[in-house]
Amino acid sequence: MTFNRSKLQNSLIHIVLSFVAITTVMPFYWMAVTSLKTPEDIFKMPPILFPTYFYIQNYRDVFELMPMWQGFLNSTKVTVLVTIGTLLTSSMAAYAFAKINFIWKDTLFGIFLSTLMVPGQVTLIPLYILFSKIRWTDTHLPIMVPIILLNAYGIFMIKQFMHTIPDSYIESAKIDGYNHFGIYLKIALPMCKPVLVALGTFTFIGNWNNFLGPLIFLSTESKFTLPLLISSFRDIYSVKWGLLMAASSVSIIPIIILYIFFQRFFVEGIALTGLKG
Amino acid sequence: MKSAKRLKKSENLWGFAFILPQLTGLILFTIGPVFATFYLCFAEWDFINPPKFVGGLNFSVIFGDPVFYKSIINTFIFAGGTIPLTIIISLFLAVLTNRKISCLSIYRTAYFLPMVTSSVSIALVWYWLYAPDFGLINLMLSKIGLPELPWLADTWWARIAIIIMSVWLQMGYNYIIFISGLKNIPKIYYEAAEIDGANKFQIFFKITLPMLSPVTFFVVITLLISTFNMFNESYILTRGGPAYATYTLVMYVFFKAFQLFRMGEAAVASLVLFALVGVITMIQFRLSRRMVNYDV
């Protein structure tokens, strides 16, 4: 009796869980299927749920109509540089706030934290004016430099982690003749690997998907990042669904592959940051 | 004595050297621009002619603009729809999967999938799902005998469409937060409750929910902030339409500044966004002191 009840409960749970799983995966499936259909078959009734052929002309057209390779390269360049830069500058600042006793330390850290309250849109207009004055508009610099040079959230995350490094490690390294730079490089950074990986993954995803920045600062098509190219597809080919879905697939599939490889880091990273919040 | 002073000086130097890059960013890209925004609020500037001081004119223009109020109301509607739904669904999933269960890793991979994909590309996919005649959602509705819906063409359905997509996007992230929160609740509480003969519902409402309150608090704040910063979803799905029904505050700032080149008015609107986020965060912290149970 109890055995049957728990079995029934178990299958009910599986039904609910798989229903949600299908809901989350369905849009991706439908995107891929639509992108592989001929224009006529897209509007066929009843709809074809399982294609029996692969019509790759949509993909050929996508690469022909828009500089997708260039967009891919631009996105990769911006994202990789921003991720490396952010990790470097925020881990340096975090080390200082966690392990160096310098004046105004607490006040400065408080000011850094308070920037978390400032929405990006508040600084956007003056930044646009500044960047057009120094002729940075229509280059990738405005969507890289400000992001690399300020990440209070990153500082906070790494700082929390650095506090777990015992001060005795630092003291003994000092006795061995290391200065702060040596300690940061040889002790602090290697010990912070988990938090660096987590922050790195978030920074990567966030910047790969950045849209508002490129939309405002870039105007030449050859400099566009992938989200911006996708958005122009929507403007120009508004109901050519096969083409639009092929374009979406091109930008989504690489990140899904990355995600499947690095899944563990995502989940651990979110758990790490969420609990501290 | 002298060496202690020297040591102190050298610590100060090291400290500032390490924070220098981020300090530069802080001053140049946040503190400076925030003050510039305050100044711009009182100026008229179209980028071509030099800025001109106009006093409170920008404020009266913005606060007299019905579209501005509409975009604030929309933001609250989006928050009111997205936040409870996301919390209920992701908490429900977390409770269901917080046990030994087969295929768990497959489910999890599926749930996390939306959050890694670019919101622009995925919004384009939803644009197709919501398409009036051949969109998958209307096809499925008519299949089960329901009427097709004017998803992106009707003011309320367009808002609902955006809420559904936001919940779908944010569910996975918050699911992970809840599941790691659940794992942190000590087992003894559950064991004690079972000995006392509490049923599943009692356990959920008397133990799980109160013990999770710091996590829920975190989730509400992050969801609120992301709703207030919403832009991509409406921009791709509806361009803010129909009749400004899905216009967001960020979109308002964007169009004012970069399409109409009314920098002063845009600055006022962005300041209102700043104030709203600030006020809400403050209310949240006040409330949390009374309601959140940090006693774990």
Side-chain angles (χ1 to χ4, degrees):
Chain A
M1 182 65 197
T2 48
F3 172 73
N4 270 341
R5 220 188 121 188
S6 77
K7 210 174 177 184
L8 181 76
Q9 195 191 7
N10 222 350
S11 30
L12 264 177
I13 289 174
H14 274 290
I15 289 170
V16 174
L17 293 180
S18 22
F19 175 76
V20 180
I22 289 168
T23 327
T24 49
V25 175
M26 195 60 194
F28 296 103
Y29 177 74
W30 199 238
M31 164 190 85
V33 168
T34 308
S35 75
L36 294 166
K37 282 184 191 174
T38 63
E40 303 82 58
D41 279 358
I42 287 173
F43 299 112
K44 202 164 240 168
M45 280 298 194
I48 304 163
L49 290 176
F50 307 100
T52 47
Y53 61 89
F54 292 132
Y55 177 75
I56 55 166
Q57 188 59 37
N58 288 326
Y59 285 89
R60 285 210 192 104
D61 289 347
V62 162
F63 280 92
E64 199 132 293
L65 292 167
M66 289 261 178
M68 288 305 267
W69 282 117
Q70 189 62 46
F72 191 82
L73 285 180
N74 292 339
S75 276
T76 311
K77 178 191 111 183
V78 169
T79 311
V80 169
L81 288 178
V82 167
T83 307
I84 296 172
T86 302
L87 287 181
L88 188 73
T89 59
S90 45
S91 66
M92 279 169 62
Y95 176 81
F97 284 123
K99 295 295 175 194
I100 304 177
N101 275 316
F102 60 102
I103 45 163
W104 307 322
K105 176 167 129 171
D106 295 330
T107 321
L108 280 170
F109 186 66
I111 297 174
F112 269 104
L113 273 192
S114 65
T115 64
L116 286 175
M117 291 249 300
V118 184
Q121 290 72 36
V122 176
T123 55
L124 200 60
I125 296 161
L127 282 184
Y128 184 82
I129 295 164
L130 171 72
F131 291 141
S132 49
K133 278 259 179 328
I134 58 173
R135 303 198 179 282
W136 275 17
T137 41
D138 207 22
T139 72
H140 291 140
L141 291 169
I143 51 173
M144 293 168 56
V145 177
I147 302 173
I148 292 174
L149 288 187
L150 183 59
N151 188 338
Y153 189 61
I155 299 179
F156 177 72
M157 250 175 91
I158 305 174
K159 176 180 176 267
Q160 296 298 93
F161 209 89
M162 283 200 180
H163 280 305
T164 62
I165 301 175
D167 281 337
S168 58
Y169 280 33
I170 312 252
E171 291 310 318
S172 58
K174 269 185 192 160
I175 292 162
D176 288 346
Y178 281 110
N179 59 24
H180 276 300
F181 188 69
I183 300 169
Y184 161 77
L185 214 60
K186 293 265 156 63
I187 297 172
L189 273 191
M191 289 186 80
C192 284
K193 222 165 158 188
V195 75
L196 292 177
V197 172
L199 180 66
T201 337
F202 289 137
T203 314
F204 190 93
I205 299 270
N207 284 285
W208 182 266
N209 297 338
N210 185 8
F211 177 57
L212 191 58
L215 180 67
I216 288 165
F217 290 113
L218 302 178
S219 46
T220 313
E221 206 177 68
S222 65
K223 287 167 187 158
F224 280 12
T225 55
L226 278 179
L228 206 50
L229 282 178
I230 300 292
S231 166
S232 2
F233 261 106
R234 184 234 190 253
D235 294 340
I236 305 169
Y237 307 101
S238 72
V239 287
K240 296 203 167 173
W241 301 112
L243 202 64
L244 292 182
M245 290 307 105
S248 286
S249 306
V250 169
S251 79
I252 282 178
I253 288 168
I255 204 102
I256 288 187
I257 293 171
L258 262 184
Y259 160 67
I260 287 168
F261 277 110
F262 289 99
Q263 207 190 113
R264 197 167 57 89
F265 298 120
F266 276 97
V267 178
E268 281 168 10
I270 295 173
L272 201 71
T273 51
L275 286 182
K276 286 287 172 202
Chain B
M1 187 63 204
K2 210 173 178 186
S3 87
K5 217 173 185 176
R6 240 188 32 216
L7 183 74
K8 191 140 202 252
K9 209 171 157 191
S10 112
E11 287 287 288
N12 285 344
L13 272 177
W14 276 114
F16 278 96
F18 268 83
I19 66 165
L20 186 65
Q22 291 270 330
L23 193 62
T24 317
L26 177 77
I27 294 165
L28 278 184
F29 302 127
T30 296
I31 296 181
V34 166
F35 281 104
T37 301
F38 277 107
Y39 166 73
L40 273 176
C41 286
F42 299 97
E44 191 181 275
W45 199 23
D46 57 3
F47 253 120
I48 300 153
N49 303 305
K52 206 168 67 196
F53 186 80
V54 292
L57 186 68
N58 293 325
F59 287 88
S60 52
V61 171
I62 289 293
F63 287 104
D65 183 0
V67 178
F68 176 68
Y69 291 105
K70 210 155 190 188
S71 56
I72 292 181
I73 292 167
N74 288 337
T75 306
F76 280 102
I77 293 173
F78 289 144
T82 311
I83 296 173
L85 277 176
T86 310
I87 289 181
I88 291 170
I89 295 175
S90 47
L91 181 57
F92 181 64
L93 286 178
V95 171
L96 277 189
T97 53
N98 190 26
R99 66 185 82 204
K100 280 226 176 320
I101 202 164
S102 50
C103 310
L104 190 58
S105 67
I106 297 174
Y107 291 132
R108 285 190 177 179
T109 309
Y111 300 160
F112 303 157
L113 209 51
M115 82 188 180
V116 296
T117 55
S118 141
S119 55
V120 169
S121 312
I122 206 66
L124 194 61
V125 175
W126 281 84
Y127 183 54
W128 165 221
L129 294 176
Y130 283 132
D133 293 323
F134 295 91
L136 187 65
I137 295 178
N138 271 349
L139 286 179
M140 290 196 325
L141 285 178
S142 58
K143 189 100 191 163
I144 54 173
L146 293 171
E148 295 188 358
L149 294 167
W151 285 108
L152 301 174
D154 173 83
T155 51
W156 273 102
W157 285 113
R159 290 182 181 125
I160 294 171
I162 285 181
I163 291 173
I164 294 175
M165 188 191 138
S166 312
V167 173
W168 180 87
L169 263 178
Q170 294 177 315
M171 208 172 64
Y173 176 84
N174 295 297
Y175 163 72
I176 310 179
I177 308 261
F178 276 125
I179 197 110
S180 44
L182 285 178
K183 294 246 185 296
N184 277 9
I185 301 177
K187 289 255 186 316
I188 341 162
Y189 291 93
Y190 290 109
E191 285 157 11
E194 260 169 46
I195 290 167
D196 290 345
N199 64 32
K200 286 232 160 91
F201 285 96
Q202 285 171 323
I203 290 178
F204 178 77
F205 284 104
K206 299 277 178 194
I207 297 176
T208 311
L209 264 193
M211 295 297 276
L212 266 186
S213 55
V215 178
T216 316
F217 173 61
F218 172 81
V219 167
V220 172
I221 291 216
T222 50
L223 280 174
L224 255 178
I225 291 174
S226 76
T227 313
F228 272 88
N229 288 320
M230 212 165 91
F231 175 78
N232 301 1
E233 292 86 345
S234 305
Y235 187 81
I236 298 291
L237 279 180
T238 57
R239 281 290 139 82
Y244 299 106
T246 57
Y247 226 65
T248 65
L249 260 177
V250 179
M251 202 176 250
Y252 188 86
V253 175
F254 172 79
F255 280 114
K256 269 270 185 247
F258 303 108
Q259 309 268 301
L260 301 170
F261 295 106
R262 293 179 183 272
M263 295 297 166
E265 291 168 22
V268 172
S270 74
L271 214 59
V272 173
L273 184 71
F274 188 14
L276 277 175
V277 172
V279 166
I280 284 170
T281 319
M282 244 151 58
I283 293 174
Q284 291 271 355
F285 274 107
R286 279 277 163 80
L287 281 180
S288 81
R289 241 181 265 151
R290 242 179 293 155
M291 286 165 55
V292 173
N293 175 16
Y294 281 109
D295 190 36
V296 180

